[in-house]
Amino acid sequence: MRVYCAGPVAGMTVEQVKTRHALIGRWLSGSGHTVIFPVNQAEMDTACADGVISGDGDPHVPAVTDKALFERDKWWVQGCDILYADLSHPVDHASIGSMFEIAWADILGKHVVICKPKDDGDDRSVYHHPFVYSAGHVIFSDPEKALAYIAGLK
């Protein structure tokens, strides 16, 4: 199956993104899935300042303009079987791109698996929202459990 991997990128370091991609890739590629990551090395190199990814497109590089990234990611979500949204990394604000990807996947009838921090009383993640809970078909708080679940889907 084709698994599109959504998750925050802006504000993360290149190393954090590479680490997340490596973990997801090991779990899912090893179980026979094709894994699609919406950000590649060229984009990380283009959109970085001091090792931190800005999340902005580059109007001078046709393949990484805001519009090009938006349309490409939407096309990839259309072609996937499963959308895995790894929202487990602590952030100060919600990833708008990830929210779009989750919404597209839900509307298109894709299987949506979300991993987000567990909400404990008043300590709620930025992803504590009824739309996230409604669009997520299966929601985990442990990335390894989420990936094991997806790895078992054939």
Side-chain angles (χ1 to χ4, degrees), residues 1-132:
M1 294 189 169
R2 293 171 50 92
V3 181
Y4 181 93
C5 298
V9 174
M12 295 180 71
T13 67
V14 171
E15 286 308 311
Q16 288 172 320
V17 173
K18 285 181 178 181
T19 299
R20 182 176 66 197
H21 286 188
L23 171 69
I24 294 169
R26 274 195 308 275
W27 271 91
L28 300 182
S29 297
S31 62
H33 295 296
T34 300
V35 183
I36 304 163
F37 295 108
V39 64
N40 60 38
Q41 185 61 51
E43 290 163 16
M44 285 190 261
D45 292 342
T46 301
C48 282
D50 300 328
V52 176
I53 301 169
S54 71
D56 297 328
D58 185 337
H60 305 293
V61 181
V64 293
T65 64
D66 291 338
K67 181 67 171 173
L69 297 175
F70 178 87
E71 293 297 334
R72 185 210 54 202
D73 291 0
K74 183 171 60 172
W75 175 60
W76 279 346
V77 170
Q78 289 172 329
C80 76
D81 301 298
I82 301 166
L83 180 127
Y84 171 55
D86 182 359
L87 309 176
S88 63
H89 185 80
V91 294
D92 295 330
H93 60 279
S95 166
I96 301 301
S98 296
M99 298 301 96
F100 266 82
E101 293 159 340
I102 290 168
W104 291 332
D106 182 57
I107 288 168
L108 293 167
K110 309 300 179 175
H111 188 46
V112 180
V113 179
I114 296 174
C115 183
K116 60 175 276 320
K118 191 173 196 172
D119 295 317
D120 293 322
D122 291 335
D123 185 22
R124 295 181 173 172
S125 88
V126 297
Y127 299 107
H128 179 80
H129 193 279
F131 284 17
V132 174

